[in-house]
Amino acid sequence: MHLGVDSFVSSVTDPSTGHQVGPAERIEHLLEEISLADRVGLYSFGIGEHHRSEYYDSAPQIILAAAAARTERIRLGSAVKVLSADDPVRVFQQFATLDLIAKGRIDLVVGRGSFTEAFPLFGLDLADYDSLFSEKLELLLQIRDQVEVTWSGRHRPPLQRQSVYPRPVQDPLPIWVGVGGTPESFARAGLLGLPLMIAIIGGQPRQFAPLVDLYRRAGAQAGHPPEQLQVGLHVFGFVAESTRAAGDTIYPGWEEMFAKISRERGFAPPSRPQFDATAGPDGAFFMGDPQTVAEKIRRVSDQLGGVDRISLQMTNPRLAHADLLRGIELLGTEVAPLVAR
């Protein structure tokens, strides 16, 4: 099993000083975080895509290019690339170029995103939420598998024997499908034989076992070998010297993030008891000291019939840079060896 980190590159206010970290400084910190993840042996680092004021990741390809130029081993990727709101030709060209810069260390994880701001921003109709993704994924896969493409659809001008360049180092470029909790999304990924990245942001991870089984059954029925049907998890998490310290460090920023989302979506405001329950043994958050986090990773992997990759999403608007660096260090130097053993 491979361990990594995902980041949404949130704006940050230092909890001890009240200093609001500016965008340029935040990007500088992020690149330090990725470089550290590379040095401590973590397998991957992913950058999300959002078009909101509290995040600085609206152009993840550019961040990943900067990271590729200063790392050596770690795999870099999207978490996720909002394919519905972009052009598959440009997405392939950008990530193929990234793969050239990184010398074959790029993963492209595509999805529809958990926010909707990209749709009006790029002149798209939210009513086409699913058809946009399905059609663009079809074209993206065709571009990946064929240099010369002939294609037509509803949401993009047709292509007639057009060649798409450059081609990546990896052949084929790894394309993962990011999913939430919709059975149709799991089945579609299985039928296409694409690796699956599951975003678990609430509930209990073991509740996804029937959906993972659906994915694997769909893939088997479509004739794809089991080793091709990889499963990854994108989860909230943090590692500290003790479980109590992890919770106390993360909670203020978590409360701030989810209070805003709850107001936008009409949910009840978050609370510390809710947070503690979600960070508990059966909850969705992978949080605690190294031993606690390692045990939870192994337990959840067993519950889902085996997991190939787990990425801890450590974005938090009230997390000091030094604390985040320490969490990454502990994940690579202590949690990963425990999981491997």
Side-chain angles (χ1 to χ4, degrees):
M1 183 192 303
H2 300 300
L3 300 187
V5 175
D6 286 341
S7 177
F8 292 170
V9 201
S10 66
S11 60
V12 173
T13 300
D14 189 289
S16 59
T17 66
H19 167 64
Q20 187 168 1
V21 179
E25 186 181 5
R26 180 67 188 95
I27 293 294
E28 180 183 354
H29 286 175
L30 173 68
L31 294 174
E32 290 178 20
E33 294 154 16
I34 299 173
S35 295
L36 175 61
D38 185 41
R39 292 197 304 273
V40 299
L42 286 170
Y43 183 75
S44 62
F45 203 110
I47 302 296
E49 179 187 346
H50 299 83
H51 302 272
R52 297 167 60 90
S53 61
E54 66 266 36
Y55 299 118
Y56 302 137
D57 60 353
S58 63
Q61 299 93 316
I62 296 176
I63 297 173
L64 292 168
R70 63 178 66 193
T71 55
E72 297 178 359
R73 295 175 299 276
I74 195 167
R75 294 193 67 81
L76 302 166
S78 51
V80 300
K81 173 61 190 170
V82 183
L83 183 62
S84 306
D86 212 331
D87 177 40
V89 174
R90 292 299 289 151
V91 169
F92 182 85
Q93 290 176 326
Q94 290 161 356
F95 278 84
T97 303
L98 273 173
D99 202 50
L100 297 175
I101 296 170
K103 298 180 175 63
R105 293 185 285 123
I106 296 298
D107 293 311
L108 173 53
V109 185
V110 297
R112 293 174 291 188
S114 56
F115 295 98
T116 60
E117 288 83 2
F119 287 83
L121 183 64
F122 296 108
L124 303 169
D125 189 342
L126 191 57
D128 295 327
Y129 183 78
D130 190 64
S131 65
L132 277 165
F133 180 73
S134 298
E135 181 177 293
K136 291 185 177 187
L137 179 59
E138 173 192 298
L139 175 54
L140 180 65
L141 293 175
Q142 188 170 339
I143 294 169
R144 180 188 70 167
D145 297 337
Q146 302 171 210
V147 174
E148 186 178 276
V149 178
T150 296
W151 177 92
S152 64
R154 288 178 51 208
H155 301 292
R156 188 200 186 283
L159 297 170
Q160 184 65 38
R161 299 185 63 184
Q162 295 291 314
S163 298
V164 180
Y165 297 103
R167 309 307 295 182
V169 173
Q170 299 175 95
D171 184 17
L173 181 71
I175 296 178
W176 295 60
V177 177
V179 299
T182 307
E184 292 79 7
S185 297
F186 284 78
R188 173 167 52 203
L191 290 172
L192 293 171
L194 296 175
L196 188 72
M197 184 61 69
I198 308 168
I200 301 180
I201 60 175
Q204 297 183 350
R206 63 186 178 191
Q207 294 173 328
F208 284 82
L211 294 172
V212 173
D213 183 61
L214 171 64
Y215 162 71
R216 288 176 170 140
R217 285 190 286 110
Q221 290 170 4
H224 301 296
E227 61 272 14
Q228 185 175 326
L229 302 173
Q230 299 181 64
V231 175
L233 304 182
H234 164 97
V235 298
F236 281 104
F238 188 69
V239 189
E241 311 296 342
S242 71
T243 296
R244 182 68 188 183
D248 290 346
T249 301
I250 289 296
Y251 177 72
W254 177 88
E255 193 277 336
E256 179 179 312
M257 282 193 301
F258 281 88
K260 180 173 184 178
I261 294 172
S262 296
R263 287 193 300 270
E264 292 176 355
R265 301 186 180 183
F267 299 156
S271 66
R272 182 63 192 250
Q274 176 189 0
F275 172 85
D276 289 338
T278 307
D282 296 318
F285 293 177
F286 288 59
M287 192 170 303
D289 62 82
Q291 185 70 43
T292 298
V293 173
E295 289 174 354
K296 188 164 190 175
I297 286 171
R298 296 302 308 175
R299 183 168 62 254
V300 170
S301 178
D302 290 343
Q303 291 170 348
L304 300 182
V307 170
D308 300 279
R309 185 183 302 190
I310 293 185
S311 296
L312 271 62
Q313 205 282 92
M314 295 189 181
T315 293
N316 189 292
R318 295 277 173 180
L319 180 60
H321 179 50
D323 290 335
L324 180 50
L325 291 176
R326 181 58 176 156
I328 292 171
E329 182 181 18
L330 289 171
L331 184 64
T333 61
E334 297 196 23
V335 177
L338 286 170
V339 171
R341 288 199 294 269

